[in-house]
Amino acid sequence: MKKNIVILLLVAMIVSSCKKSFLSPSQVDLVYNEVYWKTSQDAERALIGTYSLYRGLMVNAQMYNRGDVTTGLINRGWNGGSDPNFYLPGDYSNINGTRKSWGAIESYADWSGFYKVIAQANLVITHIQSMDDKLFAKGQKEELLGEAYFLRALTYYNIATIWGNAPLMIESIESSSQVITANNELVNTPRSTDIQIMDNVLADVTKAVNGLAFGIPGSSKWGIRANKGSALALSGYANLWMAFLKQRDGQTNASYITNAVTALQDVVEHGNYSLASYASADLVRQMYKGRSSEAVFELNISTEQNESYRVDQGGIQYLTCKLLPIDGDVSKDRASSINFVPASKKALIYPEYPDDARADLFWTAWESNYDEPFSDVSPTATDRNMVTWMTKFANFSPDPSRQWNEYVAYFADCNIPVFRYTDVKLLFAEAFIKNNQPGNALSIINEIRTRAGLETYSGSDPMTEVLQQRTSELIGEGKLFFDYVRNNYFPVSSVMTPDRYAQKGYYWPVSSNILTTNKMLTQTPFWNGKTVW
């Protein structure tokens, strides 16, 4: 008789001052399959567990580091911030050296957390499918399955864009024989190709689209639970990534571009979204707080709902926000310990500053001419008020239970965007151009430019302008590096040389722990001999 394996249902969070922290999720609340999956509430709780796992994986600046710091547009502060190996070129000639670009960041080469989400999604899909339809309200079963397919598709999309080739596992683990052989050896799975992974993403996202309805603005699920608009946005991304892969491999890609246009048009015409106003900093702050008219899909972070984390202990705010000390003593802020934008990179982000309002809406001290990090010992960068730091996620609430000497003890109080409507519209413009419809793209470009206070576009290269607008709008939201890879466009050329790009060096290495435990895996080819492990 096969031994049943317990399943993960919920994610327990480290409790800090009565707030949940998603910075170090741990797996608890395990029950046996045979005593679960009896009611629709069981199915709902299991699905919420999948959301919690994904949020726990992503909330600690995962995609910010991978999608923004890697562009080279953002640098580390003097005493803290992101690992400079995210953006500095590697020195691979020194075998014993530690400056090896991504080959020096082993924690980011470990995909275990992603596969925990996959395993939970697989269980949810398998068991909800087998449950009697009579256990659910009308349409509820299809909706829950649609959300589960969306989360699995999103996670595999992340895996495909980060590592390329990776194991493809879509069966739920129900028995020990699925993971341990009769000889007590682990069952290993080789890496599938990036195209095979994306085929599965597209199949899952189609099921998600078919099972979900469009969201209702202001409803309890708006923005923080997947709906048809979220799934269609993912379909647009997945189809454009597949089009990139097919073109790279010398294969036809026209159908994927057409599919992206169709999916994104459906979002725009039927998703009930609208662009938020940039008329004031308060309106922008409210948009990033979450669940705005632009909330296609977000990770829910809310002190009011008791779902937050201390920003002085991790998260995107830990890397990006100066944090005004609660006692008012500015000398205790984190000005020297956060990422900043060097003056030499600013024209790559907002080339039309000061006309571009976004520079001052999304950042503090954009006018600063500091090209090196602020510190007390710097010969030039000595004014903490001139550190150019990002304000997108600067929504906080003080910790009422903080210790007397915890001067920046705040809880995060804003959602983390996965898909924002501005993002979707600019992706739509990219798809239009690739579908030989540049005129349709131009109207979107000008809509985005006008909101930012800029003149209408009069240039002759709309694709470059779309990528510029994505840079100006989406910096800090985990998208840019993947945009640049998809279009072979790198404003800071040192982060991706032509030779590295040709060798698919835009994919991450695999950690030693993963390679040791799965003997069928091999290292990402570009990174052979280029890691510290």
Side-chain angles (χ1 to χ4, degrees), residues 379-395:
T380 56
T382 57
D383 186 348
R384 65 191 335 109
N385 294 315
M386 296 303 287
V387 176
T388 302
W389 61 277
M390 188 175 68
T391 59
K392 284 185 174 183
F393 305 111
N395 275 294

Side-chain angles (χ1 to χ4, degrees), residues 244-255:
F244 152 65
L245 297 180
K246 293 289 188 178
Q247 182 182 45
R248 180 200 66 189
D249 294 349
Q251 302 175 33
T252 181
N253 67 355
S255 64

